[in-house]
Amino acid sequence: MEQFDAWNVGKSGVITAAELEAGMENLNLAKPLTTAEVAKLVEEHDVDHKGGLEFESFLRVQLELQKNGRSPAVSPQKSAFLTTAQFANVHHISASEKRAYVDHINTYLDNDPAMVKYLPIDPTTDDLFNIAKDGVLLCKLINLAVTGTIDERAMNIKDKLNPWERNENHTLCLNSAKAIGCSVVNIGTQDLVEGRPHLVLGLITQIVKVQLLADINLKKTPELAELLDDMEEFEELLRLPAEKLLLRWMNYHLKKAGYTKVVSNYSSDVKDGTAYAMLLHKLAPESCTLEPLSISDPLERAQAVLAQASRIGSSKYLSAKDIVDGSPNLNLAFVAHLFRIRSGLSTDSSKFTFAELIESDDEQDSREERAFRMWINSLGIEYVSSLFEDVRDGWVLLEVLDKVSPGSVNWKGATKPPIKMPFKKLMRYHMFYLLKNLRLKGKEVSEADIVQWANLKVRNVGKTSKMESFKDKSLASGVFFLDLLGAVEPRVVNWNIVTSGLTEEDRKKNAMYIISVARKIGCSIFLLWDDLVEVRPKMILTLAASIMLWSLSSKAKVADASASPEKSPSVKSESAPSSPPTAPASPPPGEDVLPPLDTPSSPPLDPPSSPPVDEPSSPPSAPPPEIAENGHDTPS
């Protein structure tokens, strides 16, 4: 944030093309951009037409520069999130954000048994980043943001964790963060093990944001239907992402209060404190006055605004300097917290009956929308907050297509919206594309192959459970998938807490545990426990395929390590391993061999970089490989 402020010479809250060009001159890039290239870069990332780059857009530009070779090279052993010395100044952490999020942690986790020995955290020290090194804190924050995302029985919680257990916690954390909508493409487990401040704080920022915006939707807060204009369709309000809906709420009250401007962002439009003063007075006239408006000095006015906010218990996250500086993350947090404290919306249920009923008739479609949206966000392309709203112009669809099948999009002709494609087919194609590239030398992988593989794995460890298909109702108990996870990684399942799955409650417990254990070993999955208990075939397929992909991928890495032992780095005492220990040289006869497939893939694929490896009947009892340094848990 300090770098953003330093480059934003005009203090407008956005970095103009001229300011960006001037700032970049000091970086001594190997391939400097021309004035025209800088102007085009700003235009591409200024999606809201603010005349420049807001803070998050500014960071995305830095990433794009690196991907395009415009920045110094980064060691392949490190995260690709701008860790070079020349770009390190872009990632100086914000002391204000650290203070705000430490306060958030101290408030929400103060009674947590696993965290009590660490709290309260001192925001003036680096304790936050040191505590985050074992992964427990970040997992706890994810569960605060979306309750039940992580089954805490799958976490490793004890006084002293070994490198394997620490790595498992971080793998679980990153896969769960993806599942709630966070972007972790440029964060690896090693970044978290080392407690790299800008990456840890960046992840915490996203998690806290998810928590604060969780109720800002019509389903959770039907009173928001009051914001609907007379000429507006209900569905338009329904599809607004939480951040925009929060701005809509803010402007709704400001208009009633007589404020003539429209607040369109959480930075430049609120930095003079006027909008906050009028909003607080409108929401709580008995406690908050308009006295701050008579103060001419911006910093003193901001201090007066926060003094008024404290009267209703809503001065969290922001300092006066943060208001004046236009800190987007902290202003968003402040407004979201104010919404929770004092929304000022009608409590007359007759006004929002329709909002309460909306989407309730098709809960299954709502869950599918969430799964597809989270999957898209995990690909590391443009962030999607509303599946239907954000794909209207077709650009995101093109990015998804090009990601799952590289080279399939002719970008020179990408001017018209493409034909709408079902996300379930894209998601399924992506999974099978990875599987066939890794395992079957370009041959198509069928659903029957996955079922056969899973049954073989379970049978070969002496278990009797099996599945007939992805529609098999016996899968509702969760026993088969727990057997499968235990087969691919024996040490990961705690059988003492596994239930028989005979009752509804036991099935739910098993399903929640399955999802967390799968993420813990490195599977990237987006289904909910309901999908397992209800045996929804499409989501069951993604789970089985993800486990198969992780298992085969990890064995391929073992084979590479066995073939080139000199390339396998030694394990440091305080970090997770870069690759698992050597596996047996060859599998027992007949083990894990899939039938030959005759149908060629379409389009043709290049052979995999390493030969396919048949799996042994029982994998070595070693920790799973960590998520790759590029943030993905599958080989590129």
Side-chain angles (χ1 to χ4, degrees), residues 471-493:
K471 297 179 181 179
D472 190 337
K473 293 301 181 182
S474 69
L475 297 176
S477 71
V479 172
F480 176 79
F481 279 110
L482 285 165
D483 286 344
L484 178 60
L485 287 164
V488 299
E489 181 51 77
R491 62 187 294 277
V492 79
V493 177

Side-chain angles (χ1 to χ4, degrees), residues 200-215:
V200 172
L201 193 64
L203 182 56
I204 290 175
T205 298
Q206 293 187 75
I207 296 170
V208 170
K209 180 178 173 181
V210 170
Q211 178 183 347
L212 293 175
L213 296 179
D215 293 336

Side-chain angles (χ1 to χ4, degrees), residues 45-97:
H45 288 270
D46 181 19
V47 292
D48 292 326
H49 306 292
K50 300 295 183 183
L53 304 174
E54 294 185 316
F55 179 66
E56 292 185 4
S57 300
F58 175 63
L59 292 183
R60 283 196 293 269
V61 165
Q62 305 301 326
L63 290 173
E64 184 170 316
L65 289 175
Q66 187 179 44
K67 285 192 295 184
N68 294 336
R70 294 286 189 167
S71 67
V74 179
S75 166
Q77 301 301 320
K78 299 295 182 181
S79 163
F81 200 87
L82 302 178
T83 55
T84 63
Q86 284 176 285
F87 270 99
N89 60 343
V90 175
H91 293 289
H92 283 167
I93 65 170
S94 165
S96 293
E97 289 193 9

Side-chain angles (χ1 to χ4, degrees), residues 96-277:
S96 293
E97 289 193 9
K98 184 172 79 166
R99 168 196 50 76
Y101 299 136
V102 163
D103 179 62
H104 179 92
I105 291 168
N106 288 338
T107 300
Y108 283 96
L109 292 175
D110 62 335
N111 292 321
D112 189 288
M115 299 304 303
V116 67
K117 61 183 177 182
Y118 301 116
L119 303 182
I121 300 172
D122 184 350
T124 65
T125 68
D126 286 336
D127 287 354
L128 171 63
F129 310 116
N130 291 327
I131 294 170
K133 289 180 179 180
D134 67 5
V136 175
L137 170 62
L138 295 173
C139 287
K140 292 282 187 179
L141 286 176
I142 288 171
N143 267 356
L144 276 177
V146 181
T147 303
T149 300
I150 296 175
D151 187 330
E152 296 197 2
R153 297 175 299 173
M155 292 166 55
N156 299 313
I157 303 177
K158 58 184 182 181
D159 290 338
K160 190 173 182 180
L161 299 177
N162 62 43
W164 317 137
E165 294 167 329
R166 202 177 297 129
N167 183 70
E168 285 181 339
N169 279 350
H170 289 309
T171 303
L172 174 59
C173 163
L174 289 176
N175 280 305
S176 299
K178 284 195 292 185
I180 66 171
C182 298
S183 175
V184 300
V185 170
N186 298 292
I187 307 176
T189 56
Q190 190 65 20
D191 298 318
L192 302 182
V193 167
E194 295 177 6
R196 294 177 187 170
H198 67 285
L199 294 176
V200 172
L201 193 64
L203 182 56
I204 290 175
T205 298
Q206 293 187 75
I207 296 170
V208 170
K209 180 178 173 181
V210 170
Q211 178 183 347
L212 293 175
L213 296 179
D215 293 336
I216 303 176
N217 58 72
L218 283 162
K219 193 169 184 180
K220 293 285 187 67
T221 311
E223 299 94 310
L224 284 165
E226 189 176 330
L227 307 184
L228 193 68
D229 290 338
D230 293 337
M231 302 298 293
E232 189 176 26
E233 294 292 333
F234 196 90
E235 286 73 15
E236 294 179 46
L237 191 64
L238 179 68
R239 291 173 180 171
L240 277 180
E243 289 183 54
K244 292 184 179 180
L245 193 55
L246 190 61
L247 283 175
R248 180 73 173 269
W249 166 80
M250 187 176 180
N251 284 309
Y252 172 79
H253 285 301
L254 286 174
K255 184 177 180 180
K256 283 190 169 184
Y259 190 63
T260 56
K261 298 180 181 179
V262 174
V263 176
S264 60
N265 58 60
Y266 297 97
S267 53
S268 57
D269 287 358
V270 295
K271 63 193 310 181
D272 67 358
T274 303
Y276 283 156

Side-chain angles (χ1 to χ4, degrees), residues 580-600:
T582 303
S586 60
E591 166 61 22
D592 246 14
V593 178
L594 295 180
L597 301 175
D598 299 324
T599 307

Side-chain angles (χ1 to χ4, degrees), residues 413-458:
T415 56
K416 296 180 180 179
I419 299 172
K420 184 176 180 181
M421 291 191 66
F423 285 101
K424 64 187 68 174
K425 291 185 179 179
L426 279 173
M427 190 173 177
R428 183 180 182 275
Y429 174 83
H430 185 222
M431 185 69 66
F432 279 67
Y433 175 87
L434 293 171
L435 279 170
K436 67 185 178 184
N437 219 11
L438 177 70
R439 180 68 173 86
L440 297 176
K441 296 184 178 180
K443 299 292 185 179
E444 293 285 355
V445 178
S446 69
E447 294 183 10
D449 293 331
I450 299 175
V451 172
Q452 181 187 7
W453 174 87
N455 283 327
L456 275 172
K457 292 301 297 181
V458 171

